[in-house]
Amino acid sequence: MPTNMLLRSLFIATVSSNKFLLIPSLHLLSFFSKPNRGFLFNVDRNPVLKAILKRTLYNQFCAGETEQETRACVKQLKDLGFKGVILTYAKEMVFDHKADATNHHTSEKSVDSKAVVADDIDIEAWRAGTLRTVDLISEASCSRHHRTTGGGPAVSHAFSRGELPPQQMLDALDEIAVKCKERGIQIIVDAESHHWQQGIARTTLELMRKFNRDGKAVIYNTYQAYLKGTPAVLAHHMAETEKSGFTLGLKLVRGAYMLSDDRSLIHDTKEDTDNAYNGIAQGALRQQIGDFGASGSSSRPFPPVNLFLASHNRDSVLSANKLHRQRLDAGLPTVPVAFGQLHGMSDEVSFSLLADKGENEVPPEVLKCTTWGSMGECVGYLLRRAVENRDAVDSQANKFSKFIACVHSENSSKRLSHLLHEHTESGKLVITRGDNVEAVQNAYVVILAVDPSQVEATLKQDVLAQALKGKLLISVAAGWSRENLERLLVDANAPEKDEERRIWILHTLPNILAQVSQSLTAIEDPTPAFPPKYLEIADAIFSQIGKTMRITPRLMPATTVTQIYQSMRGTVEMLQSGVHPGGLKDQGISAEGCTIGGVMLMEEMGMRGTQYHATHHQTIAVAKRTSRQQ
């Protein structure tokens, strides 16, 4: 890798991994991405601002502003060993579901849905820029992306109604597809904001029907695995493939519009998205998706499919490549597959794929996707790349590198130091006394694990609530609901829409069996606005000490009933490890808690004496039976 590319990557990684640098950077980039800024904040007109962005973000993720710069970047990427480059013209729109508004860099004209425009300047500009992109691509070495909303308001308006675009745009698409097919260039139609996706998918389906013949895909449609409705869309397209006899071009991604799309359309957890992505990818490689390729009376033949897996997830792409090789070696049916990662991101995944081959085997087809266009045209794309870097960093938050334990007494400090001396000596664990505020300020996630009687006093400490802003607070304190905890912090908390300043509270109930990794931790379903990444973090934390389950808020008080089996199993393990029954009982109770209340009630009713006498008589009976047998 060239030195300048390496240094730039290190700079981007440093900013992306530091919350105090990344968040202001994202706000600035979002500000610059808005169209019609004055000279001072216009990324195309202000030479100083443009130079800063060009030498950092732009050169990291984009190919060039001119054809000469773009050709040089394409050559550099191919020289690194990639099969080819996926080149995109940056002109696009992004629909913000929350704001119900469009952010674009096209003309500001309004659109009359009944009017027929003979010569739309936005469509013509998109056509010209796209054809220039085709000219930048060497024959049979690259693919190219379409972002069709770059055709302007008339195109996006049609897409928002689920319709085909104006005839001028259809003619432009046909012209580009013919030229690409002649040159052996594949076209990948990008997924965009869900607001327009139905119209884009309909248009792409018609292009595939026309150009994807003879078992080879010229046109690929992009399917976003994080959308709950993607399997239904894919099933419909496969049925059309079966009926009309064309080849389905299937490009699979996880998705890139989480910040702007309607959150209810997206899977609730990252795990669900991963399962959807891997299910479609491996199903295509096995030639079995739904009824297609299945066995039984309802099965349907698997149609011709060309697969392109675009992913930064190392496990997903390596397991897919392994499955593909295994099926080829065994002579089992499969589909052609290629892989792609974005320019400037996940180079370790790309190079791992290139190296993932046996002796005398041809490496898999790996491509890099990059974008070209002016700074103003690319700034929206750069913002999405920066957000993806942020989410990639957040997804690694499960792998915490440092822990801070805040204790009250010197005895607790000594006990933890003795039990976890390896971690304290390595610096991974820091034990503090009497300074909760500083510990919270230095933390990413805070676990509130104090006696229930001490919750209010702990959270009411001076400026502690301020230190919690923008962070995840996980409560394991029994008897304290999320609503009650929020009431304690109400004076300092921000509205839910202010994600960066909100204190995000998650109510959980683990149990003492965490000591032997047999806890069954109940995690209360949070509010709809709760960031999914924090649920993933909580799942990752409590999965280390047993199992987790999601519980609706109204059922949290009764959740201990569902934990009985897991509790009995864990109790046996603790007793077998040498824990005395009396000690086990004492570890599971706290002052003013519900457990001690139950124990006191049993004592008052003479439960201990009754149990003793029953056990005593059972022992005598066993001894008599043994004596008779002898």
Side-chain angles (χ1 to χ4, degrees):
M1 183 179 292
T3 302
N4 62 335
M5 187 183 298
L6 178 61
L7 292 175
R8 190 170 58 243
S9 296
L10 289 173
F11 170 76
I12 297 296
T14 300
V15 174
S16 300
S17 61
N18 188 313
K19 184 176 182 179
F20 298 102
L21 295 176
L22 180 60
I23 292 174
S25 300
L26 287 175
H27 286 309
L28 279 174
L29 202 56
S30 178
F31 176 78
F32 295 143
S33 70
K34 302 298 188 294
N36 303 317
R37 292 293 185 196
F39 172 82
L40 186 61
F41 301 113
N42 188 300
V43 294
D44 282 320
R45 297 171 59 196
N46 184 329
V48 176
L49 179 60
K50 181 176 180 178
I52 294 172
L53 287 175
K54 183 74 176 285
R55 292 176 181 274
T56 53
L57 279 175
Y58 185 95
N59 285 344
Q60 179 71 9
F61 300 117
C62 300
E65 294 189 272
T66 66
E67 295 180 19
Q68 182 179 3
E69 288 180 355
T70 303
R71 284 195 178 94
C73 180
V74 168
K75 182 179 183 304
Q76 184 182 49
L77 290 172
K78 290 180 67 178
D79 288 345
L80 289 174
F82 297 110
K83 172 72 174 179
V85 174
I86 305 171
L87 193 58
T88 308
Y89 181 45
K91 210 173 187 68
E92 68 167 326
M93 295 184 179
V94 175
F95 183 83
D96 189 335
H97 168 77
K98 295 177 183 177
D100 193 26
T102 301
N103 178 14
H104 56 80
H105 293 275
T106 56
S107 69
E108 295 297 324
K109 66 184 181 190
S110 59
V111 178
D112 182 351
S113 60
K114 298 181 180 179
V116 178
V117 180
D119 189 11
D120 187 300
I121 59 172
D122 287 320
I123 294 177
E124 176 54 29
W126 180 87
R127 183 194 74 88
T130 303
L131 285 173
R132 286 168 62 200
T133 307
V134 176
D135 292 334
L136 289 172
I137 299 176
S138 302
E139 184 173 339
S141 66
C142 300
S143 303
R144 64 168 313 280
H145 266 158
H146 273 323
R147 288 203 185 96
T148 43
T149 57
V155 173
S156 62
H157 189 67
F159 286 160
S160 69
R161 302 193 306 270
E163 299 174 356
L164 296 174
Q167 188 61 47
Q168 183 184 350
M169 185 67 171
L170 290 174
D171 292 341
L173 288 167
D174 271 6
E175 179 185 1
I176 293 162
V178 168
K179 192 169 184 179
C180 285
K181 189 167 185 176
E182 290 173 350
R183 297 189 177 189
I185 297 170
Q186 296 166 320
I187 296 174
I188 301 173
V189 179
D190 246 350
E192 301 190 47
S193 300
H194 189 268
H195 182 70
W196 298 303
Q197 195 54 46
Q198 185 179 354
I200 293 172
R202 181 180 172 185
T203 303
T204 308
L205 187 62
E206 293 306 310
L207 288 170
M208 289 195 290
R209 199 189 311 274
K210 185 173 183 179
F211 290 97
N212 288 7
R213 297 291 174 174
D214 304 322
K216 182 174 176 58
V218 175
I219 310 293
Y220 283 74
N221 186 53
T222 300
Y223 301 86
Q224 301 189 90
Y226 75 172
L227 292 176
K228 298 175 182 177
T230 290
V233 174
L234 180 57
H236 168 61
H237 287 191
M238 293 181 74
E240 290 297 310
T241 301
E242 178 190 31
K243 181 172 66 176
S244 302
F246 62 90
T247 298
L248 179 68
L250 195 170
K251 177 200 173 188
L252 186 62
V253 300
R254 277 173 167 76
Y257 293 88
M258 183 172 284
L259 288 186
S260 56
D261 271 348
D262 182 350
R263 186 64 183 82
S264 66
L265 301 173
I266 299 171
H267 285 300
D268 297 328
T269 67
K270 180 179 180 295
E271 182 181 5
D272 291 340
T273 298
D274 288 341
N275 291 338
Y277 185 97
N278 294 333
I280 294 173
Q282 301 204 11
L285 291 167
R286 290 190 174 97
Q287 294 197 345
Q288 183 178 342
I289 296 178
D291 292 338
F292 295 96
S295 58
S297 58
S298 62
S299 65
R300 305 165 72 173
F302 196 85
V305 170
N306 288 182
L307 180 63
F308 182 78
L309 296 178
S311 176
H312 296 163
N313 187 297
R314 190 174 186 273
D315 292 338
S316 289
V317 295
L318 290 181
S319 61
N321 185 50
K322 180 180 179 181
L323 175 61
H324 186 242
R325 288 203 325 266
Q326 287 174 343
R327 295 189 71 82
L328 289 175
D329 293 342
L332 297 172
T334 188
V335 300
V337 61
F339 304 88
Q341 288 80 45
L342 289 167
H343 175 201
M345 294 180 68
S346 296
D347 289 329
E348 76 284 357
V349 176
S350 302
F351 288 114
S352 293
L353 270 171
L354 288 174
D356 188 27
K357 63 182 183 67
E359 189 175 354
N360 300 322
E361 285 186 352
V362 177
E365 293 189 10
V366 185
L367 298 93
K368 276 292 188 180
C369 175
T370 189
T371 293
W372 81 284
S374 70
M375 187 70 70
E377 290 170 336
C378 288
V379 72
Y381 171 83
L382 291 174
L383 176 60
R384 287 197 287 119
R385 296 292 75 79
V387 169
E388 286 182 28
N389 263 347
R390 179 199 67 182
D391 292 343
V393 171
D394 286 345
S395 70
Q396 297 302 314
N398 302 340
K399 303 172 183 177
F400 295 109
S401 59
K402 185 176 181 180
F403 299 82
I404 305 172
C406 303
V407 299
H408 180 68
S409 68
E410 185 177 353
N411 286 339
S412 294
S413 177
K414 289 180 178 179
R415 182 171 59 86
L416 278 182
S417 297
H418 174 71
L419 289 173
L420 304 171
H421 63 92
E422 292 183 6
H423 300 298
T424 54
E425 290 174 1
S426 68
K428 190 172 185 178
L429 172 65
V430 175
I431 301 172
T432 68
R433 287 181 57 209
D435 199 350
N436 292 341
V437 173
E438 182 179 358
V440 170
Q441 289 172 339
N442 293 326
Y444 181 85
V445 173
V446 178
I447 298 180
L448 181 65
V450 300
D451 189 281
S453 63
Q454 297 299 314
V455 167
E456 184 170 2
T458 300
L459 293 183
K460 286 294 185 179
Q461 291 181 37
D462 289 343
V463 305
L464 183 69
Q466 294 295 330
L468 283 168
K469 287 195 171 193
K471 297 178 179 179
L472 170 62
L473 175 64
I474 300 175
S475 170
V476 299
W480 281 87
S481 68
R482 174 178 56 80
E483 291 83 359
N484 287 338
L485 292 171
E486 286 180 341
R487 277 193 283 270
L488 284 179
L489 300 168
V490 67
D491 293 337
N493 213 353
E496 282 190 337
K497 63 181 180 180
D498 191 352
E499 182 175 338
E500 303 300 340
R501 298 179 62 249
R502 175 80 182 175
I503 302 172
W504 297 102
I505 299 175
L506 197 61
H507 181 205
T508 69
L509 285 176
N511 57 45
I512 190 63
L513 307 178
Q515 293 187 18
V516 288
S517 298
Q518 291 296 335
S519 175
L520 182 58
T521 303
I523 300 178
E524 181 184 282
D525 287 335
T527 62
F530 194 87
K533 63 184 179 183
Y534 286 154
L535 272 178
E536 295 165 17
I537 289 173
D539 270 330
I541 290 172
F542 291 110
S543 292
Q544 304 300 311
I545 57 171
K547 298 179 180 179
T548 65
M549 60 180 179
R550 301 284 176 79
I551 301 293
T552 59
R554 66 184 180 86
L555 295 179
M556 281 297 280
T559 192
T560 51
V561 177
T562 69
Q563 297 176 323
I564 291 175
Y565 168 75
Q566 193 76 9
S567 297
M568 292 175 65
R569 179 180 174 184
T571 299
V572 170
E573 292 200 19
M574 291 191 75
L575 292 173
Q576 288 178 338
S577 70
V579 177
H580 190 276
L584 178 58
K585 179 202 70 173
D586 292 340
Q587 291 181 42
I589 62 177
S590 58
E592 302 180 23
C594 56
T595 306
I596 188 60
V599 171
M600 291 176 65
L601 182 61
M602 287 191 293
E603 292 283 358
E604 291 172 5
M605 296 176 66
M607 185 69 178
R608 184 184 302 194
T610 302
Q611 187 179 31
Y612 169 79
H613 287 300
T615 305
H616 177 69
H617 285 295
Q618 184 180 23
T619 302
I620 293 174
V622 170
K624 287 180 178 179
R625 285 200 301 270
T626 304
S627 176
R628 285 196 297 267
Q629 290 171 359
Q630 292 174 345

